[in-house]
Structure formats: C-alpha cells, structure tokens
C-alpha cells in the first residue's frame, strides 16, 4: 500500500469530525508501507500495530481488540474518504436508524477516472445486497458496544467473504433493524 496509504491517512486525519481514533494494522508489509505509517505514529489519534503475516481477518480482529471508541468504521489502505465521511455517519446516528450505509465511487487507478458509483436506492436488505452494498465493511458504521459485548470477530478461516460474515453476525444482534441510507457518496 506504499502508493496509497498516505492519501488514505490524509483523508482520515483531515476529516471534519475530529474525535477520531485511527488504528493502523500492518500485516507484515514488504514495501515501504511500514516506514510511511511509522511517520504518523506521533499523531495522538493514531494507534499503530505491526504483526506477522496472518491475513486481513487476523489484522481486523487486532484492530477491533485495540479500539476504544464508541463506533467502528473500516477503511482499506488503498481507499480514501470524503472530508465529511465520519461526520455524516455520526450526524445520522439516532433512534430512527441503527445501521447506516453510504454510497461509494469505484475508481480506475490506472486511468485515474471514476468507473462508476454505487448509491443506495433502497433501505431494503435484499436490494442493498443486490447492489453489493452489504458485502464490504467500508461504507458502514458499527456500534462498538454490540461488537464488544457479543465479541463479534472476523472468521480467520475464511479466505473470501469474511466481511459479509462479520456484517451478518452484527446484523443478527440488532433487535429491530432500522436501516438508513445516506444520499452522499462518501467513500472512494
């Protein structure tokens, strides 16, 4: 991720919502990612952890273990977010919703263009699944209390679909699922 990690971190550090804890988990990178991440260690909102190569599920579980915040969001190292990404989610947390999803842009890194955008068209779980908005972690916010109380973790035995597995376990814990979709395209 040496070519993209600074853009990713910059979008998070410069986010308009400032009460953040950013957890970086390096899964034994072989490029300059480690060196780049270490440059940010002195930032008080950054928690950095490096481990041997165990894969994404192990690393995400380590991030969950290190987290102390009220909510959890995931951002991949080759992605970035809009300046109001966190603020829009936090602003929409209320009794009318307990699962919030935003839209995202799909980029062509080679030609530096937008391939398309996926914007939620419905609050229906089936429709959101068909739009591929349920399968990935990013574009959502999770209540850390639920994740901690139930000990929801990523299945380290899975090599595909671990994101969706985590999301399904999380959704299963919501007594009365109330989905809110944001019109904003906040994730790249």
């Amino acid at each position: 991720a040496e070519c993209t990690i600074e853009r990713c971190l910059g979008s998070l550090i410069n986010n308009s919502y400032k009460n953040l804890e950013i957890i970086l988990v390096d899964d034994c990178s072989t490029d300059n990612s480690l060196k780049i991440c270490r440059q940010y260690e002195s930032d008080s909102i950054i928690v950095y952890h490096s481990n041997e190569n165990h894969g994404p599920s192990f690393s995400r579980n380590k991030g969950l273990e290190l987290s102390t915040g009220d909510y959890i969001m995931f951002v991949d190292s080759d992605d970035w977010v809009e300046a109001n990404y966190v603020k829009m989610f936090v602003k929409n947390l209320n009794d009318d919703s307990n699962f919030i999803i935003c839209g995202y842009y799909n980029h062509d890194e080679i030609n530096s263009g937008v391939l398309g955008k996926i914007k939620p068209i419905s609050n229906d779980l089936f429709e959101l699944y068909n739009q591929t908005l349920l399968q990935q972690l990013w574009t959502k916010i999770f209540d850390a209390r639920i994740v901690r109380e139930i000990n929801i973790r990523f299945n380290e035995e899975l090599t595909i679909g671990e994101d969706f597995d985590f999301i399904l376990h999380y959704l299963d814990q919501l007594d009365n699922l109330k989905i809110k979709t944001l019109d904003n395209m906040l994730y790249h």
Side-chain angles (χ1 to χ4, degrees):
E2 69 180 3
C3 296
T4 58
I5 191 69
E6 285 190 90
R7 174 182 64 190
C8 177
L9 285 172
S11 73
L12 294 169
I13 292 168
N14 296 317
N15 221 265
S16 60
Y17 189 83
K18 297 300 182 191
N19 187 16
L20 292 178
E21 171 186 57
I22 300 171
I23 299 173
L24 306 175
V25 180
D26 178 28
D27 191 37
C28 198
S29 60
T30 57
D31 59 8
N32 286 318
S33 296
L34 175 62
K35 182 180 176 185
I36 294 166
C37 289
R38 293 255 159 138
Q39 294 172 7
Y40 291 90
E41 271 186 296
S42 62
D43 193 312
S44 63
I45 65 170
I46 304 253
V47 176
Y48 179 78
H49 176 79
S50 182
N51 51 258
E52 293 181 21
N53 189 345
H54 292 291
S57 291
F58 180 90
S59 297
R60 288 176 178 149
N61 286 338
K62 180 53 80 173
L64 290 172
E65 179 186 312
L66 295 170
S67 70
T68 62
D70 294 333
Y71 297 97
I72 297 168
M73 301 175 89
F74 296 89
V75 178
D76 289 348
S77 60
D78 60 340
D79 298 340
W80 73 96
V81 298
E82 291 290 320
N84 62 342
Y85 177 66
V86 179
K87 186 177 187 176
M88 289 302 296
F89 276 92
V90 172
K91 178 178 148 185
N92 282 281
L93 288 169
N94 56 47
D95 293 335
D96 295 334
S97 59
N98 56 13
F99 192 65
I100 303 172
I101 301 174
C102 75
Y104 67 93
Y105 293 98
N106 190 11
H107 289 270
D108 175 357
E109 293 294 326
I110 295 169
N111 298 314
S112 301
V114 175
L115 286 174
K117 54 185 177 178
I118 306 294
K119 185 176 181 180
I121 57 172
S122 165
N123 286 355
D124 179 73
L125 271 178
F126 185 72
E127 289 297 325
L128 290 168
Y129 177 82
N130 283 340
Q131 281 190 273
T132 69
L133 282 163
L134 278 185
Q135 289 88 324
Q136 62 278 80
L137 295 169
W138 31 271
T139 72
K140 296 161 191 66
I141 190 167
F142 300 90
D143 186 326
R145 181 187 49 80
I146 293 171
V147 172
R148 288 185 189 113
E149 283 178 10
I150 307 303
N151 197 30
I152 302 171
R153 293 294 181 261
F154 291 89
N155 183 339
E156 295 175 26
E157 302 297 315
L158 293 177
T159 57
I160 190 167
E162 67 278 359
D163 291 14
F164 191 44
D165 182 66
F166 178 91
I167 293 165
L168 289 177
H169 281 91
Y170 179 81
L171 290 176
D172 191 44
Q173 299 307 312
L174 300 178
D175 292 331
N176 182 18
L177 179 60
K178 294 179 270 184
I179 300 170
K180 176 162 185 127
T181 55
L182 304 179
D183 289 334
N184 312 70
M185 307 295 290
L186 301 171
Y187 196 93
H188 297 266

